[in-house]
């Protein structure tokens, strides 16, 4: 998965962030890497991610009309819903009951409410239907005064509320409050008819195109075009980061994003931002500083000229299945180190068995954490290259392909 493909994000309980692109692939963001880690069944289609109280991630699967749980060991568990693959001659059905026989028709967003139940939003014509998955059973929640829009994102807000937005509906944020088993429209933040960028109290604030949500104990972040807005528990709106579209890291007011596709809030107060227009995932720290977490916030190729430059490039490089990118970086790396008579750690580059391949990865990890910038640059690149290859090749193929490729490259550089 590439950073430009990320459309959904959710933090887990171990500090990493789960990402999905709308297909069936799941990836994790950790230590600056975006790594493919699991695949949903064939014909699945991720339509939403949500952090569960136990730290795992709930998944709305609109392809098979099911709800999944993704744990910290990268294992998938079916939570609810009978598999209903898409077909031209029938329409998926909807039914409450025990999780193993309940049916979902069109899950389009997912969240965990204050009680720990999973709330699934489904489209029903022009309105939103809310289903609850709790204690192994699925029920349909009643609703009064619900906004007549289909939800594109829902999230928990405080202890006992949900927030809802629609990417194609009114430019407002809708706050829902439960009354026993009935959800009631509690507050409209912004205006249903008038778009704008004004901050302020709920009635005076304006949004342009709210499309994603991420809540913490202190409030809720809203993706609004190229801005991240913030709603406090008292329903005051402010701009957390961003302004006109662009691509800039730095202080919140100076930061620039493209169209924001998804948000995720981690336990330590950071907000992760899917920025597909800039082929990146960005992050807002607690102090408001914006940085690029995954992706290359740079233009052109990697300049030659030293280990420090290479280390910076490898540390922020997009890590995915793009082997062509890996080869391009390999050429730069080899050219630099060949010129300065440096060598690769043998066990990393030329593994001769499954055991030595694993040892090579461990050695590269140790090197990447070195205080010596030259050694750290070598380790970072080796980890990056190994990661790209391991997702596509078996360990024996990794051994043969890497050895063959490096020998060919060295021969070419020697000519």
């Amino acid at each position: 998965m590439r950073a430009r493909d990320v459309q959904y994000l959710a933090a887990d309980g171990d500090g990493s962030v789960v990402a999905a692109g709308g297909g069936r692939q799941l990836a994790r963001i950790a230590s600056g890497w975006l790594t493919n880690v699991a695949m949903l069944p064939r014909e699945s289609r991720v339509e939403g991610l949500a952090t569960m109280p136990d730290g795992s991630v709930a998944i709305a699967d609109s392809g098979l009309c099911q709800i999944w749980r993704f744990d910290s060991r990268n294992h998938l568990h079916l939570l609810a819903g009978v598999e209903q693959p898409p077909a031209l001659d029938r329409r998926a059905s909807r039914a409450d009951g025990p999780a193993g026989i309940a049916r979902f028709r069109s899950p389009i967003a997912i969240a965990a409410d204050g009680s720990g139940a999973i709330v699934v939003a489904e489209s029903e014509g022009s309105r939103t239907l809310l289903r609850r998955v709790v204690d192994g059973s699925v029920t349909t929640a009643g609703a009064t005064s619900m906004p007549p829009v289909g939800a594109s994102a829902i999230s928990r807000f405080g202890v006992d509320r949900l927030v809802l937005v629609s990417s194609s509906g009114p430019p407002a944020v809708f706050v829902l409050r439960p009354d026993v088993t009935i959800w009631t429209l509690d507050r409209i933040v912004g205006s249903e008819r008038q778009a704008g960028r004004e901050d302020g109290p709920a009635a005076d604030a304006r949004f342009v195109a709210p499309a994603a949500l991420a809540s913490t104990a202190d409030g809720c972040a809203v993706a609004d075009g190229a801005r991240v807005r913030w709603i406090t528990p008292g329903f005051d709106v402010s701009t957390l980061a961003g302004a006109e579209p662009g691509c800039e890291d730095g202080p919140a007011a100076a930061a620039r994003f493209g169209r924001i596709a998804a948000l995720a809030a981690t336990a330590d107060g950071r907000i992760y931002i899917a920025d597909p227009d800039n082929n990146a995932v960005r992050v807002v720290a607690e102090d408001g500083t914006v940085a690029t977490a995954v992706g290359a916030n740079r233009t052109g190729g990697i300049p030659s000229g030293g280990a420090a430059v290479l280390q910076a490039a490898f540390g922020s490089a997009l890590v995915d299945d793009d082997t062509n990118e890996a080869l391009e970086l390999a050429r730069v790396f080899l050219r630099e180190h060949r010129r300065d008579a440096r060598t690769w750690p043998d066990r990393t580059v030329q593994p001769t068995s499954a055991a030595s391949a694993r040892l090579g990865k461990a050695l590269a990890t140790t090197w990447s954490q070195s205080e010596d910038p030259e050694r750290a640059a070598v380790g970072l690149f080796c980890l990056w290259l190994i990661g790209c290859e391991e997702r596509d090749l078996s360990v024996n193929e990794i051994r043969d392909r890497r050895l063959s490729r490096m020998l060919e490259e060295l021969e070419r550089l020697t000519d």
Side-chain angles (χ1 to χ4, degrees), residues 156-304:
R156 176 181 172 181
F157 186 59
V159 177
D160 61 349
R161 289 178 173 85
L162 288 179
V163 282
L164 177 154
V165 295
S166 171
S167 58
S168 59
V173 177
F174 300 92
V175 183
L176 307 178
R177 175 178 53 82
D179 181 6
V180 190
T181 59
I182 298 176
W183 289 91
T184 302
L185 180 60
D186 180 63
R187 188 74 59 103
I188 296 175
V189 182
S191 168
E192 293 187 75
R193 297 178 179 83
Q194 185 180 6
R197 299 185 176 89
E198 293 83 2
D199 292 335
D204 299 330
R206 295 292 181 267
F207 295 89
V208 175
L213 302 162
S215 294
T216 71
D218 301 321
C220 180
V222 182
D224 187 27
R227 291 171 168 81
V228 181
R229 314 288 294 281
W230 184 257
I231 304 176
T232 69
F235 305 106
D236 290 323
V237 178
S238 60
T239 298
L240 182 64
E244 298 304 318
C247 185
E248 294 290 339
D249 289 341
R256 298 293 182 268
F257 309 100
R259 176 193 56 83
I260 297 171
L263 300 171
T266 61
D268 59 7
R270 292 176 294 170
I271 304 292
Y272 278 78
I273 301 163
D275 187 0
D277 290 350
N278 291 312
N279 191 20
V281 176
R282 321 281 291 283
V283 60
V284 184
E286 280 190 291
D287 63 1
T289 303
V290 176
T292 298
V294 177
N297 192 3
R298 65 181 193 270
T299 57
I302 297 174
S304 60

Side-chain angles (χ1 to χ4, degrees), residues 346-396:
D346 288 345
R347 289 184 184 274
T348 302
V349 191
Q350 300 178 5
T352 55
S353 67
S356 64
R358 288 193 293 271
L359 180 60
K361 189 170 184 178
L363 179 61
T365 301
T366 301
W367 278 43
S368 71
Q369 298 166 354
S370 172
E371 294 183 1
D372 178 356
E374 295 180 353
R375 178 164 290 202
V378 175
L380 281 167
F381 175 74
C382 291
L383 281 177
W384 191 72
L385 184 60
I386 290 169
C388 288
E389 292 180 332
E390 282 180 342
R391 284 185 289 279
D392 287 329
L393 305 171
S394 72
V395 70
N396 289 330

Side-chain angles (χ1 to χ4, degrees), residues 396-411:
N396 289 330
E397 289 172 316
I398 293 170
R399 174 196 64 198
D400 298 337
R401 184 76 62 86
R402 185 182 298 127
L403 178 59
S404 173
R405 192 173 73 201
M406 293 307 161
L407 288 175
E408 291 174 1
E409 188 65 24
L410 285 172
E411 288 173 0

Side-chain angles (χ1 to χ4, degrees), residues 29 44 56 72 89 96 131 161 166 192 216 225 257 295 311 352:
I29 299 169
S44 290
S56 59
S72 60
D89 58 346
D96 291 343
R131 316 280 301 281
R161 289 178 173 85
S166 171
E192 293 187 75
T216 71
F257 309 100
Q311 183 185 26
T352 55

Side-chain angles (χ1 to χ4, degrees), residues 91-171:
R91 185 182 180 189
S93 60
R94 182 183 291 124
D96 291 343
I101 62 173
R103 293 175 179 265
F104 294 87
R105 179 177 292 173
S106 54
I108 53 175
I110 192 167
D113 68 12
S115 67
I118 299 301
V119 179
V120 181
E122 292 196 273
S123 60
E124 179 67 17
S126 61
R127 68 188 183 100
T128 298
L129 196 66
L130 297 179
R131 316 280 301 281
R132 295 180 80 246
V133 184
V134 60
D135 296 331
S137 184
V138 178
T139 59
T140 300
T144 61
S145 305
M146 283 283 286
V149 295
S152 62
I154 55 175
S155 181
R156 176 181 172 181
F157 186 59
V159 177
D160 61 349
R161 289 178 173 85
L162 288 179
V163 282
L164 177 154
V165 295
S166 171
S167 58
S168 59

